[in-house]
Amino acid sequence: MMNSTIQTNIARLQIMKAKVLAALRKGENYELKTELNSEYKERRKEAVRRVIANMTVGKDVSSLFTDVLKNMHTDDLEIKKLIYLYLINYAKTQPDLVILAINTFVKDAEDTNPLIRALAIRTMGCLHVQEVLDYLCDPLHKCLKDTNPYVRKTAVMCVAKVYDLSVDVAEDNGFVESVREALSDSNSMVVSNAVSALVEMNDMSRHHDVWRLEANTVGKLLTAINECIEWGQIAILETLVDYTPRDEKEAENICERLLPRLQHANGSVVLTTVRLLLKYEKHVHRADLLAQFSKKMVPPLITLLSSDPEIQYVALRNINIILQRHPKLLSKEIRVFFCRYNDPIYVKYEKLDVLVRICSERNTEPLLNELKEYAKEVDMDFVSRAVQAISRLAIRYETAAENAIKVLLELLETRANHIVQSCMVALQDILRRYPRRFDSLVDGLCEYVDDVNEPEARAALIWILGEYSESVSNISNILTSFLESFLEEEDSGVQLALINAAVKFFLKSPQQGQTLVLKALQTATEKCANPDVRDRAYIYWRLLSADPNAARAVALAEKPAIELENVDLSPQLLEELVNELGCVSSVLQKPARLFVYSLAEKAGVPRDSGISAMGLDDADSVAAGAGDAAGSSSAGIDASNEGEPELLISF
Amino acid sequence: MTVDSLFILNTSGTSVIQKHWCDDVSIRRASLVVVPAFTKYLRSFAAMHDAEPVWSAPLDTVCIHIQRKELVYLGIVSQEIPPLEVLELLEGVDQALTEYIGLLSEVTIKENFTTVYQLLSEMVDSGCAVTTDTSVLRGLVPVPSLVNRVIENVSGIGIGTEKRPDVNTSSTPWRAQGIRHTNNEFFVDIVEKIDAIVNSNGSVVSYDVSGDIGCKSRLSGMPDLLLALNRPEVMDDVAFHPCVRINKWENEGVIGFVPPDGQFKLASFHVATDASPRILPIYVHATTTRQELARTIELSAEVGQCGGRPIEKVQVRVPLPSQAYNIRVQCKAGTYTVSNGRTSQVEWFMKTLKAGDRSSRLVIQYFVRQSAVTNAVAGNSSPQAVSSDQDMAQEAFVDFEVAGYSVSSIKVDSLKLMRESYKLFKGVRYITKAGSFQVRF
């Protein structure tokens, strides 16, 4: 009883609170209305500020439209700007009322102060209302021919907005033509804005025929670029991406004129320039020039790595792509990519990828030591990637194998759970790559039998034990103890590895292994629920009973050396991403048509399904050496087991 | 159009301010779907700064963001554009707002939102970045100041009407016509930063020197300056302020420019790796010992090579592992603080460190929580073999400053004034600092 009364009371209170708040809010608008009509200028100004403040936090202040409008006629620039912001916000919902403001706009567009002229023309464009178009044309004509470049550059951008509203109005009034002419303007800011406007209109137009970059314009733009501020430079550089030089001479010339852009403080300017150089260098054949381009590209790329982490990330993703085109480009700079403790994790991952990619045979040692340090960090995912990188280095460079194993054994000694798991998998890969070279260390690994508690690591250790059973002193005991928990094993990969290991052990030392292999095959065939495991056991059983020699040829066959799985992008995708270097697609490493809606429709790509079709490799699986991976030793089987093709599946 | 929408969010993902350059549908999509999804994405990270800055968001959009202090700047993009452009823009917004408002927070932004709005509409036009240069912006949007407000309120005259900002459209957009100063002064600061990782045995794992040439100009008229350095060839990758004539630098190795008024960064450079011997101005040694559950770290700091100058503002920060508790510090020189957050850290400060200071040592002792150790030992037959590095502090971050010393030995040879005939007072300072300076144990 008590409870329910309290609850009703609370509910009542809440309703009252809501009512009071609503009244207050209404009251606030009412109060603002009075203030907006105050006879004191300062109070009106403060009221306008508060109206805009309310607007930005989402309160409805549209009822004050006419009162706000009354204040528009002022020579206080701040108030004017704020009221214009208000108009832009409510123009679409109240287009009829905006017409009331038109007179002021038209008047402002002829003000003596160029700032106000520009502001008026920009705002009229931003209103984005059909009703305004008719009133906009005259002022726009005047502003496009204004003596002040700040006004001209604003007017040029306004044309794109008009074009968006009505192509006909923009074309018929010659606005588009005026923008084309603005490309030859004496002021570089106007030129770069004209470029932006043309590109934008081109994108909007149905046939993309508003503008095409011609050779003579390229020259003009490259001259203008020297005087532009960074954002103008970016606009111009980006349009050059779509230009194909007519001949080698022109390509050389463009590249030479682009080189100074590499020295800009803005990372986007630098990266877009690199993108252009990579694009145009395909047309250049002079070796000295190409070498010069490469040399000049390196320092600015390195500098990007001392910027903020966000910029580093984008730089690293792109460096990863550039390296697939120019593998040697950064090989001397390996230390720059060493991870710092306080790097965000996404920067660390990218650095790790680049490190393994650019490491040459000469500097495996410092890198291995570095990776050892990473493996001691707290983030478990990073640790396992670092350990994986160690095995990748060992697989790639034979000279690094011994060192890598030394590092891995040291790491194992820490006995930290997640380190042990990753190290075991890494060791398996290396042992698989260099068979019979590191027999002596296998016995020592048995010490970690109780530490491997992740399926992949356990399968790895069992594989090593089976492969090197003759080097392990108490192999029989270890395998038996694994076998005891065979049925509790959740992962079929471990079960398969165990059967394989038992068979190998038996074939190598039949007397010791007999009981073990029988027990393994029996348990697997009779009690195991997994059909794959059962089938594998049956096959072995029959093979062993029918022809032990054939079994030997199969189970103990020499395996082909594993190689690093290709972590590169497919050539086709790489080409696409190099062309889009520095863009969203190169950072996400998938082509634009998969995430830009309009492009997707154009290309007719089934959404989201194209990724695998494009050959995007799963970068996570690095070494193909998952032990007895399916099909990897088919060569050895073919030789001795004709007529039993089904065996192919099991090794 | 580069960005569709720009949001400034607080760290819990609530929008503080937003601005859009797209149609109504996209605005609604952005604020109703994309931003909430983005907030969820940020929260999915244990440490928010680990969220990737470019994220493929729902509804064919891409969220590009930076995190600065208490704020998240988010740009929403739906086109194939360079993310760096957005990142640089967001960075520029942060810098401009900081210069206009000072300390940025949700509160200060809301207090100054009219300024923020005006700035955003000058910085970005129809989704394209137009300018982020604060010297240009200052001409377009008045800087809010307490004084301005007071004058306005008292006199009833807006500053905006008295001193109407004017656009500068000269060939030097960074410098207005007719600047006058009673004393003509020009100061150059060469600040070099050492980024290094030093191993426990004192070997240098990575080493990198980069520098900035900062200037403060109080010169009248249209001065044209020529700055010559003693070893321009050492500067590997130079990025200049737009006022510098790049061709002159390429051909003659001198920096020619018409300076903006006030403070600005003339150039930033990187010192060629083969040109710089790996000089460490400070050596920090650490010895670690473990005894059952106790862990001890002994730190000592010593002056390295820095032209015999004292090292100032030394700060050594040691993050401790999460298992650490009961932290005790003994300090022979300077002061220290212990902060206990999710993970604890010890910070050690010394105002100055002189050559031959023997007593600069710090001893940190802490205990490791029992549970952490037993977990590590679980299933381990030989407990004495437990040497997991996880419960030992791994490294220290060192911060310091050496005034009057240039680690790359880059010096200003001469600074010449042309086009103007007045006498100019010049000043040059050199500072070497720690960038990211890390010592591993």
Side-chain angles (χ1 to χ4, degrees):
Chain A
M1 267 306 277
M2 274 285 279
N3 259 340
S4 69
T5 356
I6 291 172
Q7 268 167 10
T8 25
N9 277 339
I10 289 175
R12 229 178 260 155
L13 270 174
Q14 271 168 349
I15 294 168
M16 270 171 68
K17 193 175 149 199
K19 273 186 186 162
V20 169
L21 278 178
L24 274 178
R25 227 172 271 141
K26 193 169 158 195
E28 195 183 1
N29 271 358
Y30 181 75
E31 189 198 321
L32 282 171
K33 199 180 177 80
T34 340
E35 292 285 301
L36 284 169
N37 292 304
S38 163
E39 55 183 311
Y40 301 105
K41 198 178 154 193
E42 254 332 284
R43 294 180 69 165
R44 293 203 302 269
K45 186 168 178 176
E46 196 50 43
V48 172
R49 284 200 187 117
R50 275 172 57 198
V51 169
I52 308 295
N54 286 350
M55 181 182 90
T56 53
V57 292
K59 287 183 193 162
D60 183 15
V61 282
S62 57
S63 62
L64 299 168
F65 204 96
T66 44
D67 303 287
V68 172
L69 225 56
K70 280 181 201 155
N71 288 285
M72 194 173 158
H73 196 71
T74 171
D75 48 5
D76 186 324
L77 199 56
E78 186 189 343
I79 292 300
K80 207 178 257 302
K81 279 185 189 167
L82 292 179
I83 294 177
Y84 281 2
L85 280 173
Y86 179 88
L87 286 176
I88 293 171
N89 204 35
Y90 286 116
K92 272 163 242 166
T93 46
Q94 313 205 2
D96 305 337
L97 286 173
V98 173
I99 302 300
L100 297 175
I102 285 295
N103 270 334
T104 320
F105 277 124
V106 175
K107 212 166 133 258
D108 280 353
E110 295 185 358
D111 197 280
T112 47
N113 184 340
L115 266 187
I116 295 188
R117 294 204 293 278
L119 184 63
I121 207 78
R122 183 171 73 202
T123 313
M124 282 171 94
C126 288
L127 291 174
H128 216 269
V129 185
Q130 289 285 352
E131 284 84 343
V132 177
L133 264 185
D134 300 337
Y135 303 91
L136 177 60
C137 290
D138 273 348
L140 187 54
H141 271 301
K142 282 184 196 146
C143 287
L144 282 167
K145 303 258 172 313
D146 202 288
T147 49
N148 189 299
Y150 182 78
V151 179
R152 288 204 300 278
K153 82 167 191 162
T154 314
V156 161
M157 286 308 273
C158 186
V159 173
K161 291 165 195 156
V162 171
Y163 192 93
D164 188 25
L165 271 178
S166 161
V167 178
D168 294 337
V169 172
E171 295 275 9
D172 297 347
N173 284 284
F175 290 143
V176 180
E177 191 48 42
S178 303
V179 180
R180 287 192 203 107
E181 284 164 18
L183 287 174
S184 316
D185 199 286
S186 59
N187 185 289
S188 56
M189 284 195 298
V190 181
V191 177
S192 69
N193 270 16
V195 168
S196 301
L198 285 170
V199 169
E200 202 160 310
M201 289 191 280
N202 214 21
D203 287 347
M204 282 188 274
S205 66
R206 198 174 304 154
H207 304 292
H208 301 284
D209 52 356
V210 175
W211 181 55
R212 262 197 70 200
L213 190 53
E214 303 288 347
N216 59 344
T217 327
V218 171
K220 266 184 227 158
L221 293 183
L222 284 170
T223 311
I225 206 171
N226 292 320
E227 289 165 17
C228 280
I229 59 161
E230 49 198 330
W231 305 106
Q233 296 192 3
I234 293 172
I236 292 177
L237 289 172
E238 274 170 21
T239 48
L240 290 177
V241 171
D242 297 324
Y243 180 71
T244 315
R246 289 164 301 178
D247 51 41
E248 187 173 346
K249 198 82 218 135
E250 192 186 6
E252 282 173 11
N253 182 20
I254 295 178
C255 286
E256 298 248 29
R257 292 176 73 177
L258 284 173
L259 285 178
R261 290 307 116 217
L262 288 172
Q263 285 187 323
H264 204 286
N266 185 307
S268 194
V269 176
V270 171
L271 206 55
T272 313
T273 309
V274 171
R275 175 186 179 188
L276 285 171
L277 287 174
L278 288 178
K279 184 187 155 76
Y280 287 137
E281 73 177 9
K282 278 186 278 185
H283 303 275
V284 177
H285 299 102
R286 273 174 55 191
D288 59 327
L289 276 183
L290 289 173
Q292 191 201 354
F293 298 161
S294 293
K295 198 175 148 231
K296 289 248 176 183
M297 260 186 263
V298 175
L301 284 176
I302 299 295
T303 301
L304 286 179
L305 293 180
S306 43
S307 328
D308 292 313
E310 294 92 354
I311 290 176
Q312 284 188 46
Y313 172 74
V314 174
L316 283 162
R317 295 286 285 182
N318 284 292
I319 284 173
N320 214 317
I321 292 174
I322 297 170
L323 284 173
Q324 295 184 37
R325 179 60 79 71
H326 290 285
K328 295 257 154 60
L329 193 68
L330 297 170
S331 48
K332 282 189 194 144
E333 311 286 345
I334 190 160
R335 281 169 190 273
V336 181
F337 295 94
F338 282 4
C339 299
R340 287 170 194 285
Y341 180 79
N342 46 351
D343 280 337
I345 197 75
Y346 55 83
V347 168
K348 287 185 182 170
Y349 287 168
E350 296 304 321
K351 281 187 174 173
L352 209 54
D353 270 1
V354 173
L355 279 174
V356 176
R357 197 178 273 288
I358 64 178
C359 182
S360 66
E361 190 151 9
R362 275 185 307 118
N363 44 25
T364 50
E365 198 180 326
L367 182 55
L368 282 173
N369 284 332
E370 190 63 16
L371 291 170
K372 188 171 90 183
E373 293 292 330
Y374 301 163
K376 292 176 187 165
E377 281 198 22
V378 188
D379 188 287
M380 302 207 326
D381 208 16
F382 182 58
V383 169
S384 80
R385 288 194 196 209
V387 173
Q388 204 175 51
I390 295 176
S391 76
R392 282 174 64 183
L393 283 183
I395 289 167
R396 191 153 113 209
Y397 299 116
E398 195 170 350
T399 47
E402 201 162 324
N403 243 326
I405 286 195
K406 211 177 93 205
V407 168
L408 289 173
L409 290 179
E410 274 173 49
L411 286 173
L412 272 178
E413 272 168 33
T414 64
R415 296 224 177 218
N417 189 27
H418 59 290
I419 298 184
V420 173
Q421 314 306 319
S422 325
C423 284
M424 205 52 87
V425 177
L427 276 171
Q428 177 204 21
D429 288 343
I430 301 176
L431 290 174
R432 170 81 202 268
R433 170 73 177 76
Y434 305 105
R436 306 288 135 210
R437 252 186 66 186
F438 300 104
D439 296 26
S440 55
L441 68 91
V442 174
D443 199 31
L445 293 181
C446 300
E447 210 183 298
Y448 302 100
V449 164
D450 294 328
D451 293 319
V452 285
N453 42 28
E454 278 187 23
E456 205 192 345
R458 210 158 39 233
L461 179 61
I462 293 172
W463 181 88
I464 295 173
L465 293 174
E467 195 70 15
Y468 292 87
S469 58
E470 64 278 14
S471 319
V472 183
S473 44
N474 57 344
I475 178 79
S476 175
N477 291 343
I478 297 172
L479 286 181
T480 312
S481 75
F482 270 121
L483 205 53
E484 267 155 23
S485 55
F486 186 85
L487 290 171
E488 286 116 67
E489 197 62 65
E490 280 159 23
D491 191 273
S492 61
V494 183
Q495 293 175 326
L496 290 175
L498 197 51
I499 296 175
N500 283 353
V503 170
K504 283 180 197 163
F505 174 48
F506 167 70
L507 289 170
K508 283 181 190 167
S509 34
Q511 264 151 29
Q512 289 168 283
Q514 190 151 26
T515 26
L516 187 79
V517 79
L518 267 176
K519 193 174 167 210
L521 295 177
Q522 219 154 21
T523 324
T525 48
E526 287 167 14
K527 297 190 186 136
C528 186
N530 186 316
D532 286 342
V533 179
R534 271 202 319 266
D535 284 354
R536 175 82 61 94
Y538 275 126
I539 289 165
Y540 271 128
W541 205 326
R542 283 185 203 152
L543 200 54
L544 286 173
S545 47
D547 182 359
N549 279 331
R552 187 165 286 128
V554 172
L556 304 180
E558 187 130 321
K559 288 158 204 70
I562 56 165
E563 278 168 21
L564 276 187
E565 195 173 285
N566 197 6
V567 287
D568 289 351
L569 303 161
S570 70
Q572 183 200 359
L573 180 63
L574 179 64
E575 182 65 28
E576 210 164 329
L577 293 186
V578 168
N579 282 336
E580 304 281 292
L581 196 81
C583 288
V584 175
S585 54
S586 68
V587 175
L588 300 176
Q589 303 205 342
K590 58 182 178 184
R593 61 175 178 282
L594 294 183
F595 60 89
V596 178
Y597 186 67
S598 53
L599 290 178
E601 273 190 324
K602 219 180 293 163
V605 182
R607 325 274 354 271
D608 288 326
S609 61
I611 300 176
S612 53
M614 285 308 302
L616 263 182
D617 299 314
D618 180 11
D620 282 347
S621 58
V622 177
D628 295 349
S632 63
S633 57
S634 53
I637 295 165
D638 276 344
S640 55
N641 287 289
E642 283 165 60
E644 280 183 283
E646 68 267 36
L647 280 175
L648 287 179
I649 52 168
S650 56
F651 288 84
Chain B
M1 183 155 71
T2 313
V3 281
D4 292 2
S5 311
L6 192 150
F7 285 83
I8 301 180
L9 310 170
N10 62 16
T11 37
S12 54
T14 319
S15 160
V16 178
I17 217 163
Q18 47 184 285
K19 190 149 171 62
H20 305 273
W21 295 273
C22 49
D23 56 74
D24 282 359
V25 182
S26 307
I27 293 178
R28 241 168 280 141
R29 274 196 326 197
S31 39
L32 295 179
V33 182
V34 182
V35 171
F38 173 75
T39 311
K40 218 171 140 193
Y41 163 74
L42 278 190
R43 289 207 190 116
S44 68
F45 291 86
M48 207 170 83
H49 74 269
D50 280 336
E52 281 171 23
V54 183
W55 178 60
S56 175
L59 301 177
D60 297 305
T61 55
V62 176
C63 287
I64 300 176
H65 84 281
I66 62 171
Q67 298 175 19
R68 294 288 175 272
K69 300 197 188 74
E70 293 174 37
L71 299 169
V72 178
Y73 297 80
L74 166 68
I76 297 179
V77 165
S78 61
Q79 299 288 322
E80 170 77 325
I81 51 92
L84 267 193
E85 198 178 328
V86 182
L87 289 172
E88 294 274 7
L89 170 66
L90 296 176
E91 178 68 38
V93 169
D94 180 60
Q95 274 170 11
L97 294 187
T98 311
E99 193 167 323
Y100 267 78
I101 297 173
L103 198 61
L104 286 186
S105 71
E106 188 175 350
V107 177
T108 52
I109 287 203
K110 279 193 172 152
E111 276 170 0
N112 293 287
F113 72 93
T114 47
T115 309
V116 177
Y117 254 87
Q118 290 184 63
L119 280 174
L120 286 178
S121 35
E122 291 297 341
M123 295 175 86
V124 190
D125 189 1
S126 46
C128 298
V130 185
T131 181
T132 45
D133 187 345
T134 43
S135 63
V136 177
L137 287 171
R138 254 177 282 152
L140 299 169
V141 181
V143 180
S145 70
L146 200 60
V147 183
N148 285 2
R149 284 275 166 111
V150 170
I151 294 174
E152 276 178 38
N153 286 338
V154 172
S155 64
I157 306 164
I159 289 294
T161 48
E162 277 191 321
K163 201 180 126 201
R164 177 178 280 174
D166 200 2
V167 279
N168 166 19
T169 48
S170 62
S171 59
T172 52
W174 57 87
R175 189 178 178 92
Q177 303 277 349
I179 295 175
R180 284 275 159 264
H181 290 288
T182 38
N183 297 319
N184 289 299
E185 307 164 317
F186 194 84
F187 299 100
V188 183
D189 278 350
I190 299 192
V191 181
E192 290 175 348
K193 282 194 308 189
I194 305 178
D195 287 339
I197 304 177
V198 184
N199 250 346
S200 48
N201 57 7
S203 66
V204 182
V205 179
S206 85
Y207 186 86
D208 195 50
V209 176
S210 55
D212 285 339
I213 304 183
C215 297
K216 191 173 167 192
S217 165
R218 294 168 57 80
L219 300 175
S220 311
M222 270 292 164
D224 202 333
L225 297 173
L226 260 188
L227 180 75
L229 300 166
N230 63 337
R231 310 170 62 194
E233 72 283 356
V234 178
M235 293 160 75
D236 193 3
D237 174 33
V238 197
F240 288 113
H241 188 277
C243 68
V244 175
R245 296 183 197 97
I246 288 178
N247 288 337
K248 195 159 186 78
W249 165 259
E250 292 272 292
N251 301 331
E252 301 165 38
V254 289
I255 307 175
F257 59 104
V258 175
D261 201 43
Q263 258 178 341
F264 64 100
K265 188 159 98 180
L266 181 67
S268 56
F269 59 90
H270 185 258
V271 178
T273 31
D274 40 349
S276 61
R278 300 178 160 199
I279 297 172
L280 297 181
I282 188 169
Y283 299 128
V284 175
H285 301 287
T287 39
T288 57
T289 43
R290 45 181 98 225
Q291 196 172 36
E292 288 173 29
L293 295 176
R295 305 282 179 268
T296 313
I297 303 153
E298 273 192 72
L299 286 170
S300 66
E302 232 183 283
V303 175
Q305 290 166 269
C306 56
R309 296 185 176 268
I311 303 178
E312 292 163 48
K313 299 180 189 164
V314 180
Q315 183 194 342
V316 182
R317 185 166 61 84
V318 184
L320 300 181
S322 53
Q323 304 97 320
Y325 78 106
N326 199 2
I327 301 155
R328 276 179 292 173
V329 182
Q330 291 168 23
C331 179
K332 302 246 172 70
T335 56
Y336 69 89
T337 60
V338 181
S339 59
N340 293 304
R342 204 159 55 96
T343 55
S344 316
Q345 61 175 13
V346 176
E347 281 182 277
W348 179 26
F349 310 95
M350 280 174 287
K351 262 195 191 147
T352 49
L353 182 66
K354 296 200 187 75
D357 276 358
R358 292 253 161 245
S359 57
S360 37
R361 310 178 145 272
L362 181 87
V363 181
I364 306 171
Q365 192 176 45
Y366 64 89
F367 289 89
V368 180
R369 282 195 183 83
Q370 185 78 47
S371 60
V373 176
T374 37
N375 278 347
V377 184
N380 197 326
S381 49
S382 49
Q384 70 272 21
V386 178
S387 64
S388 165
D389 285 315
Q390 306 293 312
D391 58 22
M392 181 53 96
Q394 303 275 334
E395 51 251 293
F397 297 94
V398 186
D399 214 5
F400 59 82
E401 241 183 72
V402 190
Y405 173 65
S406 148
V407 67
S408 64
S409 62
I410 290 174
K411 295 257 151 72
V412 173
D413 259 357
S414 65
L415 177 69
K416 280 185 207 138
L417 172 70
M418 286 170 309
R419 285 233 299 250
E420 297 285 344
S421 53
Y422 46 76
K423 194 107 176 94
L424 134 103
F425 179 79
K426 305 170 225 182
V428 185
R429 278 195 303 187
Y430 303 94
I431 300 176
T432 295
K433 284 183 177 183
S436 163
F437 197 101
Q438 180 185 340
V439 178
R440 290 178 179 159
F441 297 168

